[in-house]
Amino acid sequence: MLSRPDPTRPSAGAWCGLGDPGVVELLHGAGFDWICLDAQHGAWSDESVTRTLKQLPPDGPETAVRVAANTPAAIGRALDAGANSVIVPMVQDPRAAASAAASCRYPPAGDRSWGPMPALWGRNVPTPQEANRAVGCAVMVETPYAVERVDRIAAVDGVDMVFVGPLDLALASGVSVEALLADTSPTAPLRQVVAACAAQDVRVGGFAGSAAWSTTLATNGFHAIAIATDSGLLANAAARTLESWHGP
Ligand code: 3PY
Ligand code: MG
């Protein structure tokens, strides 16, 4: 789940919001450990998610979809389209976490409905049992309310990863993201999440999108970090290229 090929460092993910299959294809081959298509806030439709996942080589880095909502339909469609895992936003309590985990797995482990699309274009599809074993379910903790319940969220059967959204968590906490990330007190939200996951042997991931924020999450012991966004990579490369062309 949001693979960690080298246990000595967190896995590095690219977060794609531009909604462009070509951009995902390029980043998929660029050396990231995993790629996330952000269908909550990014410019993705069901159709473009399917088209994008369909064109990727099956043996490349893991693909995740951050679904728009914690519903069986949104989760089922992302997995049907061929995503290896889902990242489910705004999971507030153990009940919501259990619903997300159930939506990821076929009966008897869950309540996912059968209908994998890769069969339509001739790819081998795993059996329900294989699919249940291979799928990854990451639930996002992004409010103080959820952090208070993170011990019980991480304990839910079928939750493979707790994934922190620092932007929403800071917003809902009434502090800046910088203040949230700089908090090293014993009750710091990041520490609470990491400790809860360690106690349950569940992996912990988070969105960063910049080198500085990635370093903070890595220092806190996160296993999977979205270190860059597609739009950020493009904007930074454009700025650097123009700077070297015109001079600083
Ligand atoms: C957050 O930081 O709240 C996110 O959901 C990242 O996109
Ligand atoms: Mg968020």
Side-chain angles (χ1 to χ4, degrees):
M1 168 60 189
L2 301 185
S3 50
R4 194 185 188 192
D6 177 353
T8 63
R9 63 163 180 85
S11 67
W15 198 264
C16 298
L18 291 174
D20 188 299
V23 169
V24 172
E25 193 174 10
L26 190 152
L27 294 176
H28 195 254
F32 288 96
D33 298 312
W34 50 274
I35 305 285
C36 176
L37 278 55
D38 179 10
Q40 184 192 19
H41 293 302
W44 293 104
S45 62
D46 274 1
E47 190 271 332
S48 59
V49 166
T50 306
R51 197 154 35 86
T52 300
L53 295 178
K54 180 182 171 189
Q55 71 172 10
L56 296 177
D59 52 355
E62 180 178 347
T63 54
V65 172
R66 198 256 290 263
V67 294
N70 184 7
T71 63
I75 293 171
R77 288 192 70 73
L79 296 175
D80 284 351
N84 301 121
S85 51
V86 289
I87 302 176
V88 182
M90 287 287 177
V91 170
Q92 294 283 58
D93 54 32
R95 195 186 160 107
S99 169
S103 298
C104 288
R105 292 176 178 89
Y106 298 111
D111 51 25
R112 183 178 170 195
S113 165
W114 181 257
M117 280 186 270
L120 303 180
W121 43 90
R123 285 203 185 165
N124 283 337
V125 296
T127 64
Q129 294 75 18
E130 288 166 347
N132 284 358
R133 277 195 297 277
V135 72
C137 176
V139 298
M140 290 192 75
V141 161
E142 16 190 17
T143 64
Y145 183 92
V147 171
E148 279 171 29
R149 287 155 183 76
V150 70
D151 290 337
R152 289 186 291 128
I153 291 174
V156 168
D157 203 26
V159 165
D160 302 299
M161 176 176 280
V162 172
F163 198 94
V164 175
L167 296 163
D168 276 315
L169 183 53
L171 190 63
S173 308
V175 298
S176 68
V177 181
E178 286 72 20
L180 175 82
L181 296 180
D183 187 353
T184 52
S185 65
T187 57
L190 296 188
R191 281 195 165 184
Q192 289 188 54
V193 174
V194 171
C197 289
Q200 297 298 334
D201 201 20
V202 161
R203 290 160 55 67
V204 57
F207 175 85
S210 74
W213 293 4
S214 299
T215 302
T216 305
L217 295 190
T219 307
N220 274 276
F222 279 57
H223 302 119
I225 302 172
I227 64 166
T229 62
D230 54 359
S231 53
L233 289 168
L234 190 57
N236 291 338
R240 274 203 313 276
T241 302
L242 286 169
E243 208 174 271
S244 65
W245 180 253
H246 296 305

